Amino acid sequence: MTAARMLTGDRPTGRLHLGHYVGSIANRVQLHQRHDSYFIIADLHMLTTRNSRADIQQVSRNAREMVTDILAAGVEPDRATFYLQSAIPEVGDLNTLFQNLVTVPRLERVPSLKEMSRDAGKDEMPYGLLGYPVLQAADILCVKGQVVPVGKDNAAHVEVTREIARRFNHLYGEVFPVPEMIMSETPTLIGTDGQGKMSKSKGNAIALSDDPAAVRRKVMGMYTDPNRVRADVPGTVEGNPVFAYHDVFNPDRSKIAELKDRYRAGRVGDVEVKEELVVALNRFLDPIRERRARFEAASGLVDELIVEGTERTRVEVRRTLVEVRRAMGLTSAYTQVRRRAERYRKAVATPA
């Protein structure tokens, strides 16, 4: 039996962080072992909020860093296809066709779009950002993705993909699978500042590539209980980012329980709790750092993986687009016009 195809990926806006890991990468590492896996480097999606020349010039470097992070997290290069979105122009053709299968009010109901626009400092939402879920549908369906691992923020986007697939199949015949969403167990991770989710743009993230010193610096500066002015003051564990990270990354459950009990009773200081978290995070990140170092040492390997994967994916996308155009009748429309034109040419070229 052929393995189901998985499509996932990220925008190349910088190195990946712990929030990415718990939100989707951990799922990808497990899923790619039993799925035909495609990883998109979504630089066209990046343009919806970051489209300066300087941003675009960083794409190749950021793409390389992003793929290296994914490989370092445990994805095996021989079991994954990495591809650069902008290098496959046929995706844009599919996006154009899909735009007619969804309404503006439907897209306006996608909750994360307004948040993305606000976070990007936009006074008004760009047309491309409103259509973000449609382009994402083209990304998923161009390779006939059947499984999409997502965090909570992207679930509404993928639901649009599912609707577009069903709508297309209803109108033109069964061409696309309706992709299944695989939700992560920990959809979001709060930032180190305690202000919303972890984000590269907000500067409240711990990168998968951070060295031990950087991890320590960020953890020791983390937000905790603002009402706790001394170690002997009982503290609040619920909603405390330090304990949220312990719950996700510290495998020593008895130690976590002990720290929580002592924190609530005012018998442990924030420094000790953070020191324990530094140890846990660095223990978690050490294998990722080791794998990253191996891939970085093989100069050009990641670039080769991206080029090879992009070329392989473009073959798949071209095949899909031919099937789509045939199902819609677009191919026959031009064929009919061309045949009449050929008959005309023969007629005018033949002497009376």
Side-chain angles (χ1 to χ4, degrees):
M1 181 181 293
T2 303
R5 180 163 292 178
M6 179 178 78
L7 188 286
T8 186
D10 301 280
R11 296 183 298 170
T13 56
R15 293 187 173 188
L16 303 182
H17 53 64
L18 294 178
H20 293 117
Y21 184 87
V22 301
S24 61
I25 295 175
N27 261 356
R28 299 174 192 177
V29 172
Q30 295 179 19
L31 292 169
H32 92 288
Q33 295 290 346
R34 57 182 186 273
H35 292 85
D36 180 18
S37 302
Y38 282 71
F39 291 79
I40 181 174
I41 304 164
D43 55 333
L44 295 181
H45 283 295
M46 181 197 77
L47 298 180
T48 60
T49 56
R50 299 174 63 169
N51 54 16
S52 71
R53 182 175 293 273
D55 291 326
I56 296 170
Q57 288 176 339
Q58 294 298 315
V59 166
S60 61
R61 181 180 65 83
N62 286 343
R64 189 180 307 110
E65 295 288 357
M66 189 182 86
V67 172
T68 303
D69 279 334
I70 293 171
L71 294 170
V75 168
E76 298 298 337
D78 59 345
R79 301 186 67 88
T81 298
F82 297 95
Y83 71 95
L84 186 64
Q85 184 186 32
S86 63
I88 304 179
E90 291 82 2
V91 173
D93 296 340
L94 200 57
N95 177 54
T96 298
L97 298 176
F98 284 170
Q99 287 172 356
N100 302 302
L101 303 180
V102 64
T103 66
V104 169
R106 174 64 184 93
L107 294 175
E108 289 177 334
R109 292 198 300 271
V110 176
S112 59
L113 294 180
K114 291 181 180 179
E115 179 183 347
M116 291 172 66
S117 182
R118 184 175 61 252
D119 289 347
K122 304 290 185 182
D123 295 328
E124 297 179 317
M125 185 179 297
Y127 169 78
L129 183 55
L130 180 65
Y132 193 111
V134 183
L135 179 56
Q136 193 167 53
D139 297 329
I140 296 167
L141 298 177
C142 74
V143 295
K144 298 192 175 181
Q146 297 159 285
V147 174
V148 184
V150 294
K152 183 174 67 175
D153 293 345
N154 245 346
H157 291 202
V158 180
E159 188 55 46
V160 172
T161 297
R162 290 164 53 83
E163 293 171 11
I164 287 175
R166 286 193 291 261
R167 180 66 174 162
F168 186 96
N169 292 343
H170 173 74
L171 289 173
Y172 308 114
E174 294 291 327
V175 172
F176 296 113
V178 178
E180 174 189 1
M181 286 188 283
I182 306 296
M183 300 296 294
S184 67
E185 294 182 3
T186 309
T188 58
L189 186 67
I190 194 168
T192 56
D193 58 359
Q195 304 298 311
K197 68 179 181 179
M198 183 174 285
S199 169
K200 289 174 287 191
S201 61
K202 293 180 180 178
N204 63 357
I206 296 175
L208 296 178
S209 55
D210 278 344
D211 61 29
V215 170
R216 177 180 175 77
R217 184 183 71 254
K218 292 178 180 180
V219 169
M220 298 312 289
M222 282 181 70
Y223 174 94
T224 56
D225 182 348
N227 298 316
R228 197 166 189 250
V229 294
R230 297 191 316 273
D232 60 350
V233 174
T236 301
V237 169
E238 291 73 22
N240 189 319
V242 177
F243 284 103
Y245 285 36
H246 269 295
D247 287 336
V248 175
F249 297 105
N250 191 342
D252 191 341
R253 314 319 292 178
S254 62
K255 169 59 73 173
I256 297 173
E258 176 207 341
L259 289 172
K260 287 181 177 179
D261 287 343
R262 292 170 60 200
Y263 199 81
R264 292 188 179 104
R267 292 188 289 107
V268 64
D270 286 337
V271 171
E272 182 178 343
V273 176
K274 290 180 178 180
E275 290 283 8
E276 291 286 352
L277 180 58
V278 170
V279 172
L281 287 178
N282 279 324
R283 187 177 294 129
F284 170 79
L285 289 171
D286 276 342
I288 295 176
R289 293 176 183 132
E290 291 174 7
R291 282 177 60 91
R292 169 174 262 278
R294 292 203 301 272
F295 286 110
E296 287 178 332
S299 179
L301 171 61
V302 171
D303 301 84
E304 171 62 16
L305 290 173
I306 295 172
V307 170
E308 179 184 319
T310 299
E311 292 174 353
R312 186 185 314 134
T313 302
R314 192 172 188 191
V315 171
E316 291 285 337
V317 177
R318 284 172 167 169
R319 185 180 298 124
T320 298
L321 189 59
V322 167
E323 189 176 354
V324 165
R325 292 174 63 86
R326 184 179 296 124
M328 295 179 69
L330 293 174
T331 302
S332 61
Y334 182 67
T335 298
Q336 292 174 26
V337 171
R338 189 182 67 238
R339 287 173 178 171
R340 290 177 63 86
E342 288 173 351
R343 288 196 294 270
Y344 170 79
R345 290 170 186 167
K346 289 180 180 178
V348 298
T350 303

